[in-house]
Amino acid sequence: MQQSNGYIIGFAVAMTVILGGLLSFTAVSLKPRQQHEIELDTKKQILASVGITGEDKMKLSNLFDEKVEAVVVNAAGEQVDYSGNVLKLNVQKEWKKKNAAEKLLPVYKVKGDDGKVSSYIFPVYGYGLWNEIWGYVALEADLNTVKGVVFDHKGETPGLGARIASEQIQDRYVGKKIKDNSDLKGVVMLKGEGNANVDDYHVDGMSGATLTANGLNKMVVNYMELYKSYMSKAKGTAAVLN
Amino acid sequence: MSTETAEVKKSEALLSKRRKGIITDPLDDNNPVTVQVLGICSALAVTSKLEPTLVMSISVMFVVVFSNLIISLLRNAIPQRIRIIVQLGIVASLVIIVDQVLKAYLYDVSKIVGVYVGLIITNCIVMGRLEAFAMGNKPYDSILDGFGSSFGYAWVILVVAFFRELLGNGTLFDFQVMPDAFPKVGLMTSPVGAFIIIGLLIWVQRWRNGYVEAE
């Protein structure tokens, strides 16, 4: 059966309209629910960087609301008025801004049991070998010792670069120092695995994933540099309060 | 237009022998993965753990069954010259709906299977069934065919995932079942492990059924 061109075009148009409408309806009606999930996941990741993990997302979310205060600062270390939800601040977009002074940098302050800030969490963002990588670096109240990190990635090689998302790699950062007096040393991952006598400013590397590690190092150091002014100011105020 | 089955008599039972055949054939003799070797890419990629594999199986089932149904309902209205585009449009829409629902209700799983859910569009099983079956058969038979093919796909990838998770992580559905002393086989967590297990499965099944590839 051979149909006329008019019928074929009509069929195609009708199909496009129906399917398009159906898809837009699905996307719009599920959007609030998806954004809620993304926010919960962000909270979960942030808490994981200070070692708080769990399966119950709502519980984690409540804990987050109770313990964590989110502020936005700029590269000069000054607090910026930010009216929106800090969790939804797009770290990727801020990173791509050419002018460092314009970048909005979120800081998550975790309150300890004594009411003082017990740790600071800084989001980081960069590029691995194949695609984006991101994560959170948590520092102790001294703003020097690493309390914990979480990293995630979009498309690093499974079994090699993708290991940055594993606890095995992330645990290596715990207790490391980012500064030697006031010199920023970052925490730098070494090349190769099984290095002996790794000092306080380095962590052991991932065998076969040097390029991902390079990206990771760049990301961590870049962001520690961006947050440097904030850190020295925050440390200053803490000293005054004490 | 291809027709795999004979014309149906008016008073055929709901689950006649022929219809049972539509469901059971793809489970064994005509399995889409081990015999027709279709859908291998996702079988390799999502099978490192049972949970994402199960979600993937259900997603594929949803897409195959509903696209079979819709195409079968429209089979006399679809213009022959653009039928592939029409099929793709419907499959793609169903896949996007699955992807959106997963993102909204099973966010953690969707982070793992997300890319591969999108790739269901290119899963040869889906298009294969539409072209070979739904375009020439009635809606009810097409639904049965969709279930048959997707079960055939599901059991194979679930078996693969079972062995990969058990040997690679010592767990099943993330519950530890092997003792701590069990030496985990790292190879099984990478796609290479899936290749080996699928290869073994194909071998065992073809040996059992005496299947020989046509020259």
Side-chain angles (χ1 to χ4, degrees):
Chain A
M1 177 172 50
Q2 195 75 275
Q3 287 98 347
S4 70
N5 285 341
Y7 177 78
I8 292 177
I9 293 171
F11 191 92
V13 170
M15 189 185 85
T16 313
V17 170
I18 293 172
L19 292 181
L22 187 72
L23 288 183
S24 341
F25 174 76
T26 320
V28 171
S29 53
L30 288 176
K31 194 153 195 193
R33 173 83 210 168
Q34 288 171 353
Q35 280 179 340
H36 178 68
E37 284 290 323
I38 291 172
E39 200 179 312
L40 284 184
D41 192 64
T42 312
K43 287 178 176 175
K44 191 178 164 185
Q45 282 194 32
I46 293 174
L47 287 176
S49 70
V50 286
I52 303 173
T53 52
E55 282 302 310
D56 188 348
K57 282 189 179 175
M58 285 321 288
K59 225 177 185 172
L60 285 175
S61 171
N62 291 336
L63 195 70
F64 184 94
D65 296 339
E66 184 189 320
K67 290 230 164 187
V68 181
E69 188 199 347
V71 293
V72 177
V73 300
N74 60 21
E78 290 145 356
Q79 194 163 327
V80 183
D81 279 329
Y82 189 77
S83 50
N85 185 346
V86 181
L87 285 169
K88 286 190 183 149
L89 197 135
N90 190 333
V91 180
Q92 173 188 12
K93 219 161 106 194
E94 296 303 323
W95 173 243
K96 283 185 176 159
K97 283 184 184 168
K98 288 260 165 16
N99 189 348
E102 281 175 19
K103 286 180 181 161
L104 296 174
L105 306 164
V107 178
Y108 301 98
K109 295 192 255 187
V110 184
K111 269 183 286 184
D113 293 332
D114 56 356
K116 283 186 196 142
V117 177
S118 68
S119 47
Y120 295 84
I121 304 171
F122 305 102
V124 293
Y125 176 89
Y127 300 96
L129 169 59
W130 302 115
N131 215 322
E132 303 161 33
I133 53 175
W134 62 91
Y136 296 93
V137 174
L139 300 181
E140 302 272 7
D142 66 359
L143 282 163
N144 189 13
T145 314
V146 176
K147 184 161 184 157
V149 294
V150 284
F151 297 124
D152 210 343
H153 65 98
K154 196 166 184 181
E156 297 308 304
T157 322
L160 300 174
R163 286 171 64 205
I164 61 168
S166 72
E167 273 173 31
Q168 185 206 6
I169 300 293
Q170 292 169 5
D171 285 348
R172 293 181 186 168
Y173 282 81
V174 177
K176 298 287 178 179
K177 308 260 193 262
I178 60 160
K179 277 179 290 188
D180 178 15
N181 292 320
S182 60
D183 266 4
L184 185 74
K185 296 216 164 177
V187 183
V188 176
M189 183 175 272
L190 297 166
K191 192 172 152 71
E193 202 148 358
N195 293 291
N197 304 323
V198 183
D199 67 15
D200 270 355
Y201 311 104
H202 293 89
V203 290
D204 198 10
M206 301 177 292
S207 155
T210 307
L211 292 176
T212 302
N214 287 348
L216 188 72
N217 291 339
K218 232 185 237 168
M219 168 173 88
V220 172
V221 173
N222 279 341
Y223 270 87
M224 292 305 113
E225 194 76 51
L226 277 174
Y227 281 110
K228 207 169 154 187
S229 318
Y230 172 78
M231 287 185 204
S232 53
K233 276 187 191 168
K235 216 171 167 186
T237 50
V240 171
L241 282 174
N242 288 339
Chain B
M1 200 183 291
S2 52
T3 41
E4 266 190 2
T5 46
E7 198 54 41
V8 186
K9 281 180 228 97
K10 281 264 149 60
S11 59
E12 195 180 352
L14 210 57
L15 272 176
S16 64
K17 200 172 169 210
R18 187 187 64 87
R19 284 182 164 151
K20 271 187 194 144
I22 295 178
I23 297 190
T24 53
D25 244 22
L27 295 183
D28 189 5
D29 284 341
N30 211 2
N31 190 284
V33 182
T34 58
V35 177
Q36 298 170 9
V37 199
L38 295 177
I40 290 291
C41 34
S42 59
L44 295 177
V46 297
T47 51
S48 66
K49 290 251 172 86
L50 273 167
E51 194 190 2
T53 311
L54 188 66
V55 172
M56 185 71 181
S57 308
I58 295 169
S59 309
V60 169
M61 191 174 295
F62 174 85
V63 173
V64 176
V65 169
F66 276 90
S67 57
N68 254 7
L69 170 67
I70 295 168
I71 291 293
S72 175
L73 284 171
L74 294 175
R75 69 186 187 282
N76 293 325
I78 295 174
Q80 275 300 306
R81 278 183 284 173
I82 59 164
R83 66 178 197 286
I84 299 284
I85 301 175
V86 173
Q87 291 165 6
L88 260 182
I90 288 168
V91 172
S93 307
L94 287 168
V95 168
I96 292 170
I97 290 174
V98 170
D99 191 37
Q100 295 287 324
V101 170
L102 284 183
K103 272 193 190 134
Y105 294 98
L106 285 169
Y107 186 77
D108 291 324
V109 180
S110 91
K111 275 211 295 195
I112 305 172
V113 297
V115 185
Y116 304 106
V117 168
L119 286 176
I120 295 176
I121 299 173
T122 60
N123 191 322
C124 325
I125 298 172
V126 184
M127 288 295 283
R129 291 333 290 165
L130 294 181
E131 265 295 279
F133 200 91
M135 283 300 284
N137 285 280
K138 291 188 172 169
Y140 180 61
D141 288 349
S142 299
I143 293 179
L144 293 182
D145 178 72
F147 273 114
S149 295
S150 45
F151 275 129
Y153 171 77
W155 82 254
V156 173
I157 65 169
L158 283 169
V159 167
V160 175
F162 175 84
F163 285 112
R164 284 184 71 186
E165 188 172 351
L166 188 71
L167 299 176
N169 291 306
T171 58
L172 287 177
F173 282 108
D174 284 332
F175 285 112
Q176 190 154 356
V177 288
M178 289 299 208
D180 278 334
F182 174 73
K184 288 170 187 157
V185 189
L187 188 69
M188 283 297 156
T189 56
S190 73
V192 181
F195 258 120
I196 293 173
I197 293 180
I198 289 189
L200 289 173
L201 265 177
I202 292 179
W203 176 44
V204 168
Q205 209 203 5
R206 290 186 173 186
W207 165 73
R208 198 171 62 91
N209 295 357
Y211 173 89
V212 183
E213 248 168 62
E215 291 283 319

